[in-house]
């Protein structure tokens, strides 16, 4: 057929909008390294016929040279005899990826494989249109990539820098690019630290990104292919086996970067020595290397703390001095001094402490005006930090605590003569029964070595008598007077001290008193006084210099159980319905106390053994309550004497018949503002309401809204008629009112 006619037919079909077969291969030219695998993809689109298409691969040494058949997807005998062994061994193969896509694979490309590779598809179209083949050039270059790492130091001190040097080169005969990657292996897996290239950019491993941004990783490109990675301020987590990877890249058309060859070499294993292995701390006095120091009150205490470490210049130190395990002063790693000897704190009795750095790894502690409280075991504690770089969430730098060490102890003794005296505890007033006062006197005699300005304070303690069958009670603080004479109490006796029922006093410079105005049973037991001597320190603070306890003094008296007897009697007997019943109750008490109150309940029951009802009650504060408010006008309960009460029931009814008595509870207290305490309870004898009903009876009550009126005013009067009893005959009862 005429080629011009085919070209014209193809053009007409294209203009007519019909689809045309399109065959494409990987864009080229492709640059690959000898001995490396090569893959060239080929795909076909916009075709007719079956979905699965067949592919044939041919190659030529140059663009116009003869074609050499390589491999086919449908013809196993397609290969040229010169390539049959490579095809049979799998060195050259074709792999179908999809119905319309296949890939030519060369397992180990050779230099003679350079050339032009043609992918051809067989026609399955009804009309020949489009292209049926595509070609790409493959350039095979020799392997010239060389990776030569320098062996790092096998041991690095924590906090020092580690430099990893690696030389990566290749011949510059071809347009290829290099990248270098550092890795660290811990166990069987390697972690990528940092990659430089191939475009001159830096990519970090996920675990090292922040460290790189903080400046902890620094890339130092050198000359002639030398690359250096500096890991700053290493820690024990940085130890491992380091590797260097060099990769050669080609930049293909379309902007794609393709790795064509790489080489990974082991650099060496690095061990990081922890700071704690070589950090040493020593404490000593300024006068000698003796493990103890003897001072007099008011002297100056000076102690030194020496820090030794092979990597001292890279460490940031936090220094703390402790006395008997308690922190007294600290200099943090930024140089800020924090003192724990506040005049209002728990260390107020100690001298004023100062801390300063006098040299590299040398610190001096000074305590002015020492007293006995400054004696003890002194140690210095050092915490070594390594800066991690960057900024923390609080705005400061980020730090790694590398080690913590405690120095040897230094014993500090302050020779002090303590005040001395003798205590005598006596009872100047003993109770014979509950409610009577107690007065105890604590006398201080034979006082010696109390310096000018010294003062005495006292604290009183009480131990209750043991209960039957139980162990002894523990001591309880009643209250105390400090060196200034201030009354201090935070105990169960606080309410009694505040109310004045219990008092602590100093009646003379050396005599203290404890007084109970009214005793309770729980006040029996052993009493003791503790007297402390207070002196003025060199800073002007009042500090406790000595303390002595008296011998215990037992205070007890015969106690009798409180008793309560109540006698009830009928004052006015109700002989018929509608009459008034009156009853009185007289209370007699023993061993209860002077300040007594009574609660009275009027109770009744219709027959003995039946349910008891409370009619009304009267509280110790004379508050009346009714159980049945509807009959409140007919019921009266009043206190007619110190221990006598009267009950009146007006207009008795048949339902009121039964037995009546007084239920009385005695209360006691020591002060008017205190709450009542139950002392005893008792019931009176029972009196009865009993009468015979022979007919109806009634009672009349009259009320007026005013007790006096003027001639022109109006007064309203009401008359109430209450009928009780039963009619002798059936019928209707009538009333007449005048």
């Amino acid at each position: 057929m005429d080629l011009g006619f085919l070209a014209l037919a193809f053009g007409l079909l294209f203009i007519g909008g019909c689809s045309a077969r399109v065959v494409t291969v990987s864009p080229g030219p492709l640059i690959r390294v000898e001995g490396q695998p090569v893959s060239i993809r080929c795909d076909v689109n916009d075709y007719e016929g079956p979905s699965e298409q067949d592919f044939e691969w041919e190659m030529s040494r140059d663009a116009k040279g003869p074609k050499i058949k390589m491999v086919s997807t449908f013809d196993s005998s397609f290969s040229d005899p010169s390539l049959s062994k490579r095809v049979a061994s799998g060195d050259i193969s074709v792999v179908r990826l999809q119905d319309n896509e296949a890939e030519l694979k060369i397992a180990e490309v050779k230099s003679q494989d350079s050339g032009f590779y043609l992918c051809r598809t067989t026609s399955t179209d009804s009309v020949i249109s489009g292209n049926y083949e595509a070609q790409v050039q493959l350039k095979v270059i020799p392997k010239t990539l060389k990776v030569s790492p320098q062996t790092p130091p096998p041991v690095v001190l924590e906090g020092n820098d580690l430099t990893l040097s690696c030389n990566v080169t290749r011949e510059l005969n071809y347009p290829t690019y290099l990248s270098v990657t550092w890795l660290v292996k811990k166990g069987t897996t390697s972690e990528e630290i940092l990659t430089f290239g191939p475009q001159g950019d830096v990519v970090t491993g996920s675990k090292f990104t922040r460290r790189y941004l903080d400046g902890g990783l620094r890339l130092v490109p050198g000359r002639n292919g030398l690359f250096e990675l500096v890991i700053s301020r290493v820690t024990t987590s940085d130890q491992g086996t380091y590797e260097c990877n060099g990769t050669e890249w080609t930049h293909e058309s379309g902007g794609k970067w393709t790795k064509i060859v790489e080489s990974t070499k082991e650099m060496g294993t690095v061990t990081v020595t922890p700071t704690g292995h070589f950090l040493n701390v020593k404490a000593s006095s300024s006068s000698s290397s003796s493990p103890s120091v003897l001072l007099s009150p008011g002297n100056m205490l000076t102690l030194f703390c020496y820090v030794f470490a092979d990597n001292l210049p890279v460490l940031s130190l936090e220094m703390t001095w402790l006395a008997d395990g308690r922190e007294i002063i600290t200099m943090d790693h930024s140089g800020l001094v924090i003192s724990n000897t506040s005049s209002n704190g728990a260390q107020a009795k100690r001298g004023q402490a100062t801390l300063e750095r006098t040299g590299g790894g040398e610190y001096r502690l000074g305590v002015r005006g020492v007293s006995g409280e400054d004696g003890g075991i002194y140690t210095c504690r050092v915490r070594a930090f390594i800066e991690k770089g960057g900024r923390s969430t609080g705005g400061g730098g980020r730090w790694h605590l590398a080690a913590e060490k405690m120095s040897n102890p230094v014993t500090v003794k302050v020779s002090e003569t303590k005040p001395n005296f003798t205590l005598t505890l006596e009872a100047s007033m003993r109770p014979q029964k509950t409610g009577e006062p107690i007065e105890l006197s604590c006398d201080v005699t034979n006082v010696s070595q109390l310096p000018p300005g010294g003062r005495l304070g006292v604290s009183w303690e009480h131990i209750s008598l043991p209960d039957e069958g139980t162990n002894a009670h523990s001591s309880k603080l009643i209250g105390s007077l400090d060196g200034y004479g201030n009354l201090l109490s935070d105990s169960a006796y606080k309410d009694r001290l505040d109310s004045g029922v219990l008092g602590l006093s100093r009646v003379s410079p050396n005599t203290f008193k404890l007084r109970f105005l009214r005793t309770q049973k729980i006040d029996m037991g052993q009493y003791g006084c503790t007297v402390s001597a207070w002196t003025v320190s060199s800073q002007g603070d009042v500090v406790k210099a000595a303390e002595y306890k008296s011998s215990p003094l037992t205070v007890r008296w015969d106690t009798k159980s409180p008793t309560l007897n109540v006698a009830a009697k009928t004052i006015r007997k109700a002989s018929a319905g509608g009459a008034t019943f009156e009853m009185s109750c007289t209370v007699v008490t023993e061993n209860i106390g002077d300040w007594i109150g009574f609660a009275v309940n009027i109770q009744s029951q219709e027959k003995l053994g039946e349910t008891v009802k409370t009619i009304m009650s009267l509280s110790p504060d004379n508050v009346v309550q009714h159980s049945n408010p509807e009959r409140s006008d007919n019921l009266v309960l009043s206190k007619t004497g110190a221990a006598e009460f009267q009950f009146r029931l007006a207009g008795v009814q048949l339902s009121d018949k039964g037995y009546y008595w007084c239920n009385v509870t005695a209360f006691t207290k020591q002060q008017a503002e205190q709450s009542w305490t139950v002392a005893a309870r008792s019931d009176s004898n029972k009196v009865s309401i009993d009468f015979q009903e022979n007919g109806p009876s009634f009672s009349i009550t009259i009320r007026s809204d005013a007790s006096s009126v003027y001639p022109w005013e109006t007064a309203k009067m009401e008359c109430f008629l209450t009928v009780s009893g039963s009619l002798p005959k059936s019928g209707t009862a009538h009333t007449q009112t005048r």
Side-chain angles (χ1 to χ4, degrees):
M1 183 181 291
D2 193 306
L3 294 177
F5 176 79
L6 286 175
L8 177 61
F10 178 81
L12 290 173
L13 287 170
F14 184 81
I15 295 172
C18 295
S19 62
R21 177 183 291 255
V22 178
V23 177
T24 58
V25 293
S26 302
L30 304 177
I31 300 176
R32 297 295 184 267
V33 175
E34 186 177 5
Q36 301 299 307
V38 174
S39 297
I40 304 176
R41 291 194 179 189
C42 178
D43 62 68
V44 58
N45 293 287
D46 300 331
Y47 57 87
E48 296 180 356
S51 59
E52 183 176 288
Q53 296 289 296
D54 287 311
F55 299 85
E56 297 174 347
W57 285 93
E58 299 178 352
M59 68 89 64
S60 60
R61 304 300 180 191
D62 52 55
K64 301 297 184 179
K67 301 289 190 295
I68 301 174
K69 294 181 179 180
M70 298 186 69
V71 68
S72 169
T73 59
F74 67 95
D75 186 0
S76 59
S77 62
F78 180 77
S79 305
D80 187 91
S82 63
L83 300 176
S84 58
K85 289 185 178 181
R86 295 180 67 184
V87 172
S89 66
D91 184 40
I92 297 175
S93 62
V94 62
V95 178
R96 181 182 297 279
L97 303 179
Q98 298 184 53
D99 289 344
N100 67 329
E101 185 177 8
E103 183 177 58
L104 173 67
K105 286 181 170 291
I106 302 177
E108 292 184 8
V109 70
K110 299 176 172 39
S111 59
Q112 61 265 30
D113 292 330
S114 294
F116 294 86
Y117 286 75
L118 179 71
C119 173
R120 180 182 292 116
T121 62
T122 58
S123 175
T124 59
D125 305 321
S126 60
V127 177
I128 296 176
S129 63
N131 67 311
Y132 288 81
E133 60 186 29
Q135 178 175 276
V136 62
Q137 183 182 8
L138 172 65
K139 295 181 180 180
V140 181
I141 64 176
K143 182 179 180 181
T144 61
L145 176 67
K146 293 182 179 180
V147 178
S148 303
Q150 297 181 14
T151 303
V155 178
V156 181
L157 299 181
E158 187 176 22
N160 288 348
D161 292 349
L162 172 63
T163 300
L164 302 173
S165 301
C166 188
N167 193 280
V168 180
T169 60
R170 54 82 172 85
E171 293 183 3
L172 299 176
N173 298 329
Y174 304 96
T176 58
Y177 304 84
L178 293 178
S179 69
V180 58
T181 300
W182 287 268
L183 306 97
V184 60
K185 182 187 292 184
K186 299 177 181 180
T188 59
T189 59
S190 296
E191 297 177 3
E192 183 177 323
I193 302 173
L194 181 142
T195 298
F196 174 65
Q199 303 180 73
D201 56 338
V202 174
V203 178
T204 58
S206 59
K207 294 183 179 180
F208 296 89
T209 301
R210 179 165 185 177
R211 192 167 183 180
Y212 174 75
L213 296 175
D214 290 343
L217 297 176
R218 291 184 288 111
L219 180 64
V220 185
R223 295 181 179 181
N224 302 321
L226 178 63
F227 298 89
E228 291 184 339
L229 178 66
V230 180
I231 303 177
S232 301
R233 300 175 294 274
V234 297
T235 64
T236 53
S237 63
D238 293 318
Q239 60 187 10
T241 300
Y242 286 86
E243 300 172 331
C244 176
N245 170 278
T247 303
E248 191 172 358
W249 302 77
T250 179
H251 193 206
E252 298 177 348
S253 60
K256 178 183 177 183
W257 287 93
T258 301
K259 180 192 300 184
I260 58 176
V261 67
E262 68 175 337
S263 176
T264 300
K265 296 293 183 66
E266 184 175 296
M267 304 181 72
T269 300
V270 176
T271 301
V272 178
T273 304
T275 302
H277 285 191
F278 48 82
L279 178 68
N280 290 298
V281 183
K282 178 184 177 183
S284 67
S285 66
S286 59
S287 58
S288 66
S289 58
S290 173
S292 63
V293 180
L294 180 60
L295 300 173
S296 298
N299 287 164
M300 175 77 174
L301 169 64
T302 302
L303 297 177
F304 285 91
C305 187
Y306 301 96
V307 183
F308 306 95
D310 295 340
N311 62 341
L312 189 61
V314 302
L315 298 179
S316 184
L317 303 179
E318 177 189 277
M319 167 65 62
T320 300
W321 276 98
L322 303 94
D324 294 332
R326 298 186 300 270
E327 296 181 3
I328 59 174
I329 195 167
T330 298
M331 178 184 290
D332 68 12
H333 57 78
S334 67
L336 178 65
V337 177
I338 304 170
S339 176
N340 298 319
T341 55
S342 169
S343 60
N344 295 324
Q347 308 279 348
K349 302 172 185 177
R350 295 185 174 273
Q352 183 65 39
T354 59
L355 178 59
E356 58 182 334
R357 183 176 181 179
T358 56
E362 182 177 303
Y363 297 83
R364 180 170 61 195
L365 169 69
V367 180
R368 296 192 303 271
V370 297
S371 65
E373 298 293 337
D374 292 304
I377 305 298
Y378 282 72
T379 53
C380 59
R381 182 187 65 206
V382 173
R383 289 174 175 166
F385 292 86
I386 296 176
E387 187 176 7
K388 298 174 68 175
R391 311 294 289 178
S392 67
T393 55
R398 297 191 301 118
W399 297 88
H400 164 68
L401 177 60
E404 178 178 322
K405 281 291 181 69
M406 193 76 74
S407 74
N408 56 293
V410 176
T411 302
V412 176
K413 298 179 181 179
V414 180
S415 60
E416 236 181 342
T417 304
K418 294 184 178 181
N420 189 27
F421 45 81
T422 303
L423 297 182
T424 303
L425 179 60
E426 296 179 335
S428 53
M429 188 179 299
R430 287 179 179 267
Q432 300 301 315
K433 63 179 181 178
T434 302
E436 292 184 351
I438 298 176
E439 185 176 274
L440 304 181
S441 176
C442 184
D443 297 313
V444 184
T445 57
N446 302 324
V447 180
S448 62
Q449 305 298 333
L450 184 64
R455 306 172 184 180
L456 298 178
V458 68
S459 62
W460 292 89
E461 294 179 341
H462 172 244
I463 302 176
S464 299
L465 292 176
D467 299 328
E468 293 184 4
T470 63
N471 296 325
H473 295 283
S474 59
S475 175
K476 293 182 180 179
L477 177 67
I478 300 174
S480 62
L481 295 172
D482 64 10
Y484 291 100
N486 298 317
L487 175 62
L488 306 175
S489 177
D490 190 17
S491 64
Y493 294 87
K494 189 175 186 304
D495 290 341
R496 298 172 75 180
L497 283 166
D498 292 342
S499 66
V501 176
L502 171 62
L504 278 69
S505 62
R506 182 203 299 265
V507 296
S508 68
N510 296 341
T511 301
F512 301 92
K513 294 279 189 179
L514 172 67
R515 182 179 176 86
F516 290 83
L517 295 182
R518 294 185 182 87
T519 55
Q520 301 177 10
K521 184 179 179 181
I522 59 173
D523 295 328
M524 290 193 297
Q526 289 185 340
Y527 288 83
C529 65
T530 301
V531 176
S532 54
W534 299 77
T535 59
V536 181
S537 69
S538 58
Q539 284 76 42
D541 296 326
V542 177
V543 297
K544 186 188 295 184
E547 186 176 80
Y548 296 91
K549 290 187 176 182
S550 71
S551 299
L553 176 66
T554 301
V555 178
R556 64 187 307 161
W557 57 89
D558 292 333
T559 58
K560 297 180 180 179
S561 300
T563 59
L564 183 69
N565 294 309
V566 186
K569 65 178 181 179
T570 302
I571 300 176
R572 185 173 177 181
K573 187 175 182 181
S575 57
T580 297
F581 169 77
E582 290 186 1
M583 174 183 71
S584 70
C585 290
T586 303
V587 183
V588 178
T589 63
E590 291 184 6
N591 305 317
I592 291 182
D594 298 331
W595 201 313
I596 305 176
F598 298 101
V600 180
N601 294 321
I602 303 299
Q603 296 180 326
S604 70
Q605 59 184 170
E606 186 174 350
K607 294 180 180 179
L608 294 177
E610 293 189 354
T611 303
V612 176
K613 298 185 295 182
T614 299
I615 308 299
M616 62 188 307
S617 62
L618 180 68
S619 73
D621 299 315
N622 296 321
V623 177
V624 176
Q625 289 186 334
H626 294 84
S627 299
N628 185 4
E630 294 180 358
R631 298 193 66 186
S632 59
D633 292 339
N634 294 353
L635 299 172
V636 177
L637 175 59
S638 59
K639 186 175 184 179
T640 57
E644 187 172 343
F645 302 88
Q646 186 170 318
F647 168 67
R648 184 173 71 242
L649 171 59
V652 297
Q653 303 175 7
L654 287 174
S655 60
D656 295 325
K657 295 174 64 175
Y659 297 93
Y660 289 77
W661 67 92
C662 291
N663 171 267
V664 179
T665 302
F667 294 85
T668 183
K669 60 181 177 179
Q670 293 188 347
Q671 293 290 320
E673 63 273 11
Q674 291 181 336
S675 301
W676 289 105
T677 301
V678 175
R681 288 188 176 91
S682 181
D683 288 338
S684 71
N685 55 300
K686 299 179 180 180
V687 298
S688 63
I689 297 178
D690 188 16
F691 56 88
Q692 296 295 324
E693 183 59 59
N694 297 322
S697 62
F698 59 88
S699 62
I700 299 174
T701 305
I702 188 169
R703 287 183 186 167
S704 173
D705 62 352
S707 59
S708 63
V709 295
Y710 291 98
W712 58 86
E713 293 181 332
T714 301
K716 179 181 179 181
M717 303 184 69
E718 294 178 320
C719 185
F720 297 92
L721 175 64
T722 302
V723 180
S724 62
S726 57
L727 296 173
K729 297 180 180 180
S730 61
T732 301
H734 298 274
T735 60
Q736 181 178 5
T737 305
R738 293 184 296 175

